[in-house]
Amino acid sequence: DLRRSLENPIDLSQTPIDHVMTKNPITAKPGILAAEALALMQKYTINGMFILDENQHIEGALNTQDLLQKGVL
């Protein structure tokens, strides 16, 4: 979202975060396979996602750097 905001001429120092954030982000559950997470990232052209528990609380975050470090990519 920040990358997309930087492509548009807006003053980020004066812009509320809710004007640039993704309102309904792609998320995954903790049991998802790394390959499935990568497929979601590729499908939606994203480089990261939150991992939510059954109560929709953030349990963690996953990004392409994590997958690179673990040898998935």
Side-chain angles (χ1 to χ4, degrees):
D1 297 328
L2 179 59
R3 183 184 70 238
R4 280 177 254 154
S5 295
L6 292 174
E7 292 171 356
N8 297 316
I10 62 171
D11 183 357
L12 291 178
S13 69
Q14 300 297 317
T15 303
I17 195 69
D18 63 342
H19 285 99
V20 295
M21 70 181 192
T22 299
K23 301 212 184 330
N24 295 302
I26 302 300
T27 62
K29 295 181 180 180
I32 192 172
L33 297 175
E36 294 173 309
L38 177 58
L40 282 173
M41 289 182 192
Q42 290 173 330
K43 178 179 179 179
Y44 293 103
T45 318
I46 58 175
N47 60 12
M49 65 175 70
F50 290 111
I51 310 302
L52 305 181
D53 66 16
E54 62 276 353
N55 296 314
Q56 301 299 303
H57 296 125
I58 297 174
E59 193 166 302
L62 177 72
N63 63 44
T64 51
Q65 187 65 35
D66 297 326
L67 296 174
L68 280 169
Q69 289 175 347
K70 297 298 182 183
V72 176
L73 286 175

